[in-house]
Protein backbone atom coordinates (compact mmCIF):
# COMPACT_ATOMS: atom_id res chain seq x y z
CA UNK A 1 0.00 0.00 0.00
CA UNK A 2 1.46 3.36 -1.06
CA UNK A 3 1.93 6.28 1.55
CA UNK A 4 0.50 9.39 -0.14
CA UNK A 5 1.92 11.88 2.46
CA UNK A 6 5.55 11.75 1.47
CA UNK A 7 8.21 13.76 3.26
CA UNK A 8 8.74 16.06 0.27
CA UNK A 9 5.13 17.21 -0.03
CA UNK A 10 4.25 20.79 0.90
CA UNK A 11 1.44 21.05 3.44
CA UNK A 12 -1.59 23.16 2.59
CA UNK A 13 -4.05 24.88 4.89
CA UNK A 14 -7.77 24.92 4.52
CA UNK A 15 -7.73 27.79 1.98
CA UNK A 16 -5.15 26.11 -0.13
CA UNK A 17 -2.31 28.40 0.81
CA UNK A 18 0.99 26.95 1.70
CA UNK A 19 2.29 27.07 5.28
CA UNK A 20 5.12 29.43 4.32
CA UNK A 21 2.76 31.87 2.74
CA UNK A 22 0.63 31.84 5.87
CA UNK A 23 3.65 32.50 8.11
CA UNK A 24 4.87 35.36 5.89
CA UNK A 25 1.42 36.90 5.83
CA UNK A 26 1.17 36.78 9.64
CA UNK A 27 4.61 38.28 10.14
CA UNK A 28 3.79 41.25 7.97
CA UNK A 29 0.14 41.54 8.93
CA UNK A 30 0.64 43.92 11.81
CA UNK A 31 2.34 46.53 9.68
CA UNK A 32 0.43 45.89 6.51
CA UNK A 33 -2.32 48.34 7.46
CA UNK A 34 0.13 51.19 8.38
CA UNK A 35 1.04 53.80 5.78
CA UNK A 36 3.94 52.61 3.65
CA UNK A 37 4.03 49.35 5.55
CA UNK A 38 5.99 50.98 8.38
CA UNK A 39 6.69 48.81 11.38
CA UNK A 40 5.29 49.63 14.90
CA UNK A 41 8.72 49.82 16.46
CA UNK A 42 9.61 52.64 14.05
CA UNK A 43 6.48 54.58 15.06
CA UNK A 44 7.29 54.15 18.77
CA UNK A 45 10.80 55.52 18.20
CA UNK A 46 9.38 58.57 16.41
CA UNK A 47 6.84 59.14 19.21
CA UNK A 48 9.60 59.11 21.84
CA UNK A 49 11.68 61.56 19.80
CA UNK A 50 8.69 63.88 19.38
CA UNK A 51 7.93 63.78 23.11
CA UNK A 52 11.58 64.55 23.90
CA UNK A 53 11.57 67.54 21.53
CA UNK A 54 8.21 68.89 22.82
CA UNK A 55 9.05 68.35 26.51
CA UNK A 56 11.19 71.50 27.16
CA UNK A 57 8.70 73.75 25.35
CA UNK A 58 5.77 72.39 27.36
CA UNK A 59 7.72 72.78 30.63
CA UNK A 60 8.68 76.36 29.73
CA UNK A 61 5.06 77.23 29.08
CA UNK A 62 4.01 75.84 32.45
CA UNK A 63 6.79 77.76 34.19
CA UNK A 64 5.74 80.94 32.41
CA UNK A 65 2.18 80.55 33.63
CA UNK A 66 3.39 79.84 37.16
CA UNK A 67 5.85 82.75 37.22
CA UNK A 68 3.57 85.29 35.53
CA UNK A 69 0.00 85.14 36.93
CA UNK A 70 -2.74 86.88 35.04
CA UNK A 71 -3.16 90.62 35.47
CA UNK A 72 -6.34 90.34 37.54
CA UNK A 73 -4.66 88.22 40.20
CA UNK A 74 -1.63 90.51 40.21
CA UNK A 75 -3.86 93.58 40.67
CA UNK A 76 -5.63 91.90 43.60
CA UNK A 77 -2.32 91.08 45.28
CA UNK A 78 -1.07 94.64 44.75
CA UNK A 79 -4.27 96.05 46.23
CA UNK A 80 -3.91 93.79 49.28
CA UNK A 81 -0.30 94.87 49.74
CA UNK A 82 -1.19 98.57 49.51
CA UNK A 83 -4.02 98.15 52.02
CA UNK A 84 -1.77 96.35 54.51
CA UNK A 85 0.90 99.03 54.10
CA UNK A 86 -1.66 101.81 54.70
CA UNK A 87 -2.95 100.03 57.81
CA UNK A 88 0.60 99.70 59.13
CA UNK A 89 1.34 103.41 58.54
CA UNK A 90 -1.88 104.38 60.32
CA UNK A 91 -1.05 102.07 63.22
CA UNK A 92 2.48 103.47 63.54
CA UNK A 93 1.19 107.07 63.49
CA UNK A 94 -1.43 106.23 66.10
CA UNK A 95 1.19 104.62 68.36
CA UNK A 96 3.45 107.68 68.02
CA UNK A 97 0.57 110.02 68.86
CA UNK A 98 -0.39 107.92 71.88
CA UNK A 99 3.22 107.85 73.06
CA UNK A 100 3.54 111.63 72.74
CA UNK A 101 0.22 112.11 74.55
CA UNK A 102 1.28 109.83 77.40
CA UNK A 103 4.57 111.70 77.68
CA UNK A 104 2.75 115.05 77.90
CA UNK A 105 0.36 113.63 80.48
CA UNK A 106 3.24 112.37 82.66
CA UNK A 107 5.16 115.63 82.47
CA UNK A 108 1.95 117.56 83.07
CA UNK A 109 1.34 115.62 86.26
CA UNK A 110 4.82 116.53 87.53
CA UNK A 111 4.35 120.19 86.59
CA UNK A 112 0.94 120.27 88.27
CA UNK A 113 2.53 119.08 91.51
CA UNK A 114 5.22 121.78 91.18
CA UNK A 115 2.83 124.65 90.43
CA UNK A 116 2.77 125.94 94.05
CA UNK A 117 6.58 126.11 93.97
CA UNK A 118 6.53 127.84 90.60
CA UNK A 119 3.98 130.36 91.88
CA UNK A 120 6.23 131.20 94.84
CA UNK A 121 9.18 131.64 92.50
CA UNK A 122 7.18 133.98 90.25
CA UNK A 123 5.88 135.97 93.23
CA UNK A 124 9.41 136.35 94.63
CA UNK A 125 10.63 137.49 91.23
CA UNK A 126 7.88 140.13 91.02
CA UNK A 127 8.91 141.47 94.44
CA UNK A 128 12.58 141.60 93.41
CA UNK A 129 13.75 138.84 95.73
CA UNK A 130 15.38 136.77 92.96
CA UNK A 131 17.65 139.34 91.39
CA UNK A 132 20.75 137.68 92.85
CA UNK A 133 21.89 135.10 95.36
CA UNK A 134 21.62 131.28 95.52
CA UNK A 135 17.82 131.25 95.38
CA UNK A 136 17.92 133.04 92.03
CA UNK A 137 20.21 130.34 90.60
CA UNK A 138 18.02 127.55 91.97
CA UNK A 139 14.90 129.11 90.43
CA UNK A 140 16.65 129.48 87.07
CA UNK A 141 17.73 125.83 87.11
CA UNK A 142 14.23 124.62 87.91
CA UNK A 143 12.70 126.66 85.09
CA UNK A 144 15.39 125.69 82.55
CA UNK A 145 14.92 122.00 83.41
CA UNK A 146 11.17 122.26 82.87
CA UNK A 147 11.74 124.07 79.57
CA UNK A 148 13.80 121.13 78.30
CA UNK A 149 10.77 118.90 78.86
CA UNK A 150 8.54 121.21 76.83
CA UNK A 151 7.00 123.11 79.74
CA UNK A 152 6.06 126.66 78.78
CA UNK A 153 4.77 129.55 80.86
CA UNK A 154 2.24 131.88 79.27
CA UNK A 155 0.07 134.90 80.05
CA UNK A 156 0.89 138.50 79.25
CA UNK A 157 -0.66 141.92 79.75
CA UNK A 158 -2.65 143.46 76.85
CA UNK A 159 -3.12 140.17 74.99
CA UNK A 160 -6.63 139.19 73.89
CA UNK A 161 -8.58 137.15 76.39
CA UNK A 162 -8.92 133.50 75.38
CA UNK A 163 -11.12 131.37 77.64
CA UNK A 164 -9.28 128.21 76.53
CA UNK A 165 -6.01 129.42 78.11
CA UNK A 166 -7.12 132.24 80.46
CA UNK A 167 -9.13 132.19 83.67
CA UNK A 168 -10.63 135.60 84.45
CA UNK A 169 -10.65 136.28 88.21
CA UNK A 170 -11.39 140.01 88.03
CA UNK A 171 -13.04 142.44 85.62
CA UNK A 172 -11.96 146.09 85.64
CA UNK A 173 -12.41 149.21 83.55
CA UNK A 174 -9.47 150.00 81.33
CA UNK A 175 -8.74 151.43 77.91
CA UNK A 176 -8.06 148.78 75.30
CA UNK A 177 -4.57 148.83 73.78
CA UNK A 178 -4.17 149.64 70.10
CA UNK A 179 -5.06 146.76 67.79
CA UNK A 180 -6.98 144.81 70.44
CA UNK A 181 -10.76 144.43 70.17
CA UNK A 182 -12.99 142.93 72.84
CA UNK A 183 -11.85 141.62 76.19
CA UNK A 184 -8.15 141.80 76.98
CA UNK A 185 -5.79 140.99 79.83
CA UNK A 186 -5.04 143.85 82.19
CA UNK A 187 -3.00 141.99 84.82
CA UNK A 188 -1.58 138.48 85.16
CA UNK A 189 -2.25 137.29 88.68
CA UNK A 190 -0.76 133.82 88.18
CA UNK A 191 0.91 132.66 84.96
CA UNK A 192 -0.36 129.62 83.12
CA UNK A 193 1.64 126.51 82.28
CA UNK A 194 1.32 124.01 79.46
CA UNK A 195 3.16 121.00 78.08
CA UNK A 196 3.07 121.02 74.31
CA UNK A 197 -0.58 121.74 73.50
CA UNK A 198 -1.88 120.49 76.84
CA UNK A 199 -2.77 123.24 79.28
CA UNK A 200 -1.75 122.22 82.79
CA UNK A 201 -3.19 125.37 84.32
CA UNK A 202 -4.74 128.39 82.60
CA UNK A 203 -3.32 131.83 83.30
CA UNK A 204 -5.29 133.56 86.03
CA UNK A 205 -5.82 137.14 84.95
CA UNK A 206 -7.71 140.38 85.45
CA UNK A 207 -9.53 141.52 82.32
CA UNK A 208 -11.23 144.56 80.85
CA UNK A 209 -13.29 145.34 77.81
Amino acid sequence: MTDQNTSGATPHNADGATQGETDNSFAGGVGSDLPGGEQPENLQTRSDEAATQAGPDATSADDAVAEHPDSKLAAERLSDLQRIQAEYVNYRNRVERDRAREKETTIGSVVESLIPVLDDIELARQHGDLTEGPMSKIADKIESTLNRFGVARFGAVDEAFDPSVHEALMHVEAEAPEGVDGTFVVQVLQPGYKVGERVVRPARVSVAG
Side-chain angles (χ1 to χ4, degrees):
M1 185 175 185
T2 304
D3 186 1
Q4 295 180 356
N5 291 330
T6 62
S7 60
T10 301
H12 291 75
N13 57 14
D15 295 332
T18 63
Q19 183 66 36
E21 291 174 348
T22 303
D23 294 340
N24 292 335
S25 175
F26 179 80
V30 176
S32 59
D33 294 337
L34 297 176
E38 190 171 10
Q39 298 301 317
E41 57 270 17
N42 295 334
L43 292 179
Q44 181 64 35
T45 302
R46 290 189 177 185
S47 299
D48 294 341
E49 293 176 353
T52 302
Q53 294 176 357
D57 295 337
T59 303
S60 300
D62 294 340
D63 293 342
V65 172
E67 294 177 0
H68 303 284
D70 57 80
S71 58
K72 182 178 180 180
L73 181 60
E76 291 177 355
R77 294 296 180 268
L78 178 60
S79 178
D80 293 341
L81 178 61
Q82 292 174 342
R83 185 181 67 257
I84 294 174
Q85 184 177 9
E87 291 176 353
Y88 171 74
V89 171
N90 293 335
Y91 169 77
R92 183 181 61 187
N93 293 338
R94 184 170 62 255
V95 169
E96 291 178 354
R97 287 195 302 268
D98 293 343
R99 185 182 294 115
R101 189 179 299 110
E102 291 176 359
K103 180 180 179 181
E104 290 181 357
T105 301
T106 302
I107 297 174
S109 300
V110 175
V111 173
E112 189 174 2
S113 63
L114 291 176
I115 282 180
V117 177
L118 298 175
D119 286 341
D120 291 341
I121 292 174
E122 180 62 21
L123 187 61
R125 183 177 287 111
Q126 290 177 1
H127 285 81
D129 297 336
L130 295 180
T131 55
E132 59 183 1
M135 289 301 299
S136 176
K137 294 181 180 180
I138 292 174
D140 292 341
K141 287 181 179 180
I142 292 175
E143 292 178 342
S144 62
T145 301
L146 293 176
N147 290 336
R148 287 200 301 269
F149 285 96
V151 180
R153 183 175 59 192
F154 64 92
V157 176
D158 292 341
E159 67 182 3
F161 176 77
D162 184 355
S164 64
V165 295
H166 295 137
E167 181 181 353
L169 300 182
M170 297 176 59
H171 188 281
V172 299
E173 295 295 332
E175 184 179 353
E178 184 178 356
V180 177
D181 296 330
T183 306
F184 60 96
V185 176
V186 176
Q187 182 183 4
V188 179
L189 304 177
Q190 290 179 330
Y193 295 94
K194 62 182 180 179
V195 180
E197 298 300 325
R198 180 175 181 268
V199 177
V200 180
R201 188 188 71 177
R204 295 172 176 175
V205 297
S206 175
V207 299

